[in-house]
Amino acid sequence: MTTEPSTPAPATPRVIVAGGGIAGLLLALALKKKLALDPVVYEQAPGFAPNIGGAIGLYANGLRVVRDIHPPLLAAIRAAGLPYLYRRWMRHDGTEVAVGEERHLSSWATLEDERDLASIGIRRWKLQQALADACADAGVAVRFGLRVVGVAGRDAATGVVALELSDGSRVEADLVFGCDGARSVLRGSLFPATEPEYTGVTCLMGAADVPRSLRGICFPSSSTSKFHACYYPTGPEEQIFQIYFPTPEKPETWKALSEEEGRLECEDLAAKMAADGWDKQFTEPLLKASSVLRTGLRARKPIPVWHSGRIVLLGDAAHPPVPYIGQGAMMAIEDVGILVTILKCLCSDSGSGGGVGAVFSFAHLETAFRLYERLRLPRTTRMLESSMSLGQMQLLRASDPSSAEVEAKEQSIKADVAKYGTLPIMKSGASYNYLEETRKALLEHLSSRVDEGVYKSSL
């Protein structure tokens, strides 16, 4: 087992978070609130701007983490989005295959849970702004316009990490969290390169100031057009469209489209969809689209280790993104909740609970990182497999209309929704309780320790 350097760590560790996305900002806030650390976040963007980018769904498994870190942040996020209430599977002509109430995605322990943790759609920039505001209120430092571009060196005696920044300067840290996304520089600096492979599917997405005619997130597919889509509300008068096309790889076209490019492409697509018999509820948003972007869905194999010394990876930097199932951001948020809970128990003031006056100890950092990996690797791999399965199901529904397999799949969807209220494969994402799983793993780990009671007090 790797042991920590014997040189005493500074009373106030220098903590760096690489990347100011969802995982990076939430982690920084959690380190401040739960461990009394003072992280510095390095984010390559010049700042956070409104009306940029797409949207995401937030589910109970991630919202629970947010609530536990900072309840006012959860309130701000919920105010900026809109609950789904329903989940619909439809054909392109508007024929309903099945509809389930969104509350069936999870088992609610209390009415408060059902109120606080019900899934919502939210524009990504609004979520980012809520996180940034919470960090600013907490005094978390965010250095915009600077990116971590590499590991310049590591001191074997002290564990100190030297990082190179995009402006050519260097900074030192006692603890580094890599939240720098799917193309993580930190991951590339630590482990052999794992190039993502194109899945054969490209997504065109955008926002539209058009209310959903039927409340809820909707999954239409067309065996006529040979593609499938997802539509969901992010506000009373706003919705998001994501249209998935099987198409050859064209990375030069994967970008945020200009206003004119987006308008022309969406108008052309709407005309083709109308000619193929798509219902107006699916074509109308395309005629009022904004913030349009096109991206190819790529996948890479999971890596078996997420840390090296005092550097640890979270979010897309650690594990491949999971399209289709709506759990990509949720996996990153779970990473934050689980890692911070473990660090608070094993590394903060001998597990006495963190907070003001707590001292961060590096004595059990390696153990903490290994336990984090033990919990997260199987979970994120299973969710990736479920995501791929759902994607294949949607592609199948958009295949040959004469296929008996398509009819059988739709009958299977009907039966599952009638029995379970939703597709069972979806429940494995939203119903996960990170705190229960982490506490269980910590208690198992600590069961043989003579100082077990000291650590238990923080669980």
Side-chain angles (χ1 to χ4, degrees):
M1 174 181 288
T2 303
T3 58
E4 286 297 313
S6 57
T7 303
T12 304
R14 296 163 296 179
V15 180
I16 286 178
V17 176
I22 295 169
L25 291 180
L26 184 63
L27 172 67
L29 182 66
L31 293 174
K32 183 80 171 184
K33 294 282 185 181
K34 300 297 184 181
L35 294 169
L37 295 174
D38 287 309
V40 177
V41 180
Y42 287 95
E43 166 54 39
Q44 64 179 338
F48 298 131
N51 298 313
I52 290 179
I56 60 173
L58 298 178
Y59 294 88
N61 53 316
L63 293 170
R64 180 177 284 107
V65 176
V66 174
R67 184 177 65 179
D68 289 348
I69 292 171
H70 190 46
L73 174 59
L74 175 66
I77 289 172
R78 294 201 68 85
L82 190 74
Y84 290 156
L85 300 186
Y86 298 96
R87 183 165 294 255
R88 303 176 186 275
W89 292 265
M90 302 181 78
R91 295 176 184 164
H92 73 284
D93 61 1
T95 301
E96 191 169 84
V97 175
V99 58
E101 292 184 59
E102 195 72 352
R103 63 185 177 86
H104 293 298
L105 276 182
S106 187
S107 299
W108 309 108
T110 65
L111 290 176
E112 182 183 35
D113 279 355
E114 186 170 359
R115 180 198 67 204
D116 289 350
L117 308 181
S119 50
I120 65 171
I122 186 172
R123 292 292 300 273
R124 187 175 286 270
W125 71 265
K126 290 184 178 180
L127 174 59
Q128 198 85 0
Q129 191 60 60
L131 287 163
D133 289 345
C135 283
D137 291 344
V140 173
V142 180
R143 305 281 188 254
F144 288 107
L146 283 175
R147 178 185 181 215
V148 174
V149 296
V151 178
R154 290 191 278 183
D155 190 312
T158 64
V160 172
V161 180
L163 299 174
E164 184 177 352
L165 302 180
S166 53
D167 65 353
S169 63
R170 290 187 178 184
V171 292
E172 289 188 344
D174 302 294
L175 192 55
V176 178
F177 297 90
C179 303
D180 50 342
R183 298 179 180 178
S184 171
V185 170
L186 281 175
R187 185 183 67 240
S189 298
L190 300 176
F191 307 110
T194 53
E195 287 299 318
E197 297 181 358
Y198 180 54
T199 63
V201 176
T202 292
C203 178
L204 182 75
M205 65 183 77
D209 289 333
V210 178
R212 286 285 304 142
S213 57
L214 294 172
R215 184 68 177 269
I217 184 169
C218 179
F219 304 94
S221 67
S222 172
S223 54
T224 303
S225 303
K226 300 294 190 291
F227 57 77
H228 63 94
C230 175
Y231 292 75
Y232 58 95
T234 50
E237 303 295 326
E238 182 185 65
Q239 65 176 291
I240 298 298
F241 60 85
Q242 297 171 338
I243 303 177
Y244 299 90
F245 306 90
T247 186
E249 184 173 9
K250 296 180 180 179
E252 68 278 4
T253 69
W254 301 343
K255 61 179 183 177
L257 305 186
S258 68
E259 184 177 345
E260 182 67 7
E261 288 173 332
R263 182 184 66 81
L264 292 174
E265 177 144 350
C266 288
E267 286 180 354
D268 181 61
L269 178 58
K272 291 177 180 177
M273 291 169 65
D276 283 346
W278 283 74
D279 190 76
K280 184 180 178 181
Q281 65 175 297
F282 304 128
T283 58
E284 185 180 9
L286 294 170
L287 300 176
K288 298 182 179 180
S290 63
S291 302
V292 180
L293 61 94
R294 187 191 303 108
T295 183
L297 303 186
R298 298 189 292 177
R300 63 173 174 82
K301 294 180 180 179
I303 57 175
V305 178
W306 296 356
H307 81 284
S308 177
R310 291 187 181 175
I311 304 174
V312 64
L313 304 176
L314 296 88
D316 289 352
H319 42 77
V322 285
Y324 302 122
I325 203 168
Q327 285 289 322
M330 300 306 92
M331 292 299 99
I333 292 173
E334 283 183 8
D335 290 349
V336 171
I338 286 177
L339 181 55
V340 169
T341 301
I342 292 172
L343 291 175
K344 182 178 177 181
C345 177
L346 298 184
C347 300
S348 181
D349 198 24
S350 298
S352 63
V356 177
V359 176
F360 191 89
S361 168
F362 288 85
H364 302 294
L365 186 66
E366 174 69 18
T367 299
F369 284 167
R370 287 178 180 269
L371 186 56
Y372 162 66
E373 290 171 349
R374 197 185 92 194
L375 282 171
R376 298 309 293 152
L377 277 161
R379 165 72 172 164
T380 55
T381 300
R382 285 194 302 270
M383 292 310 301
L384 179 62
E385 292 169 349
S386 295
S387 172
M388 293 298 106
S389 178
L390 275 176
Q392 288 301 315
M393 180 191 78
Q394 288 295 81
L395 287 172
L396 175 62
R397 289 182 60 215
S399 62
D400 187 343
S402 64
S403 171
E405 210 173 352
V406 174
E407 180 64 27
K409 178 52 67 178
E410 290 195 343
Q411 290 300 321
S412 174
I413 292 172
K414 288 181 182 179
D416 279 344
V417 173
K419 183 175 182 179
Y420 302 106
T422 189
L423 294 186
I425 197 172
M426 294 294 303
K427 290 192 173 189
S428 62
S431 64
Y432 182 85
N433 188 319
Y434 85 99
L435 197 54
E436 288 182 359
E437 294 297 320
T438 310
R439 284 174 170 170
K440 178 181 177 182
L442 281 167
L443 289 172
E444 289 175 354
H445 168 71
L446 298 170
S447 61
S448 61
R449 298 182 61 93
V450 295
D451 53 353
E452 176 188 2
V454 176
Y455 289 92
K456 274 188 175 180
S457 66
S458 70
L459 293 179

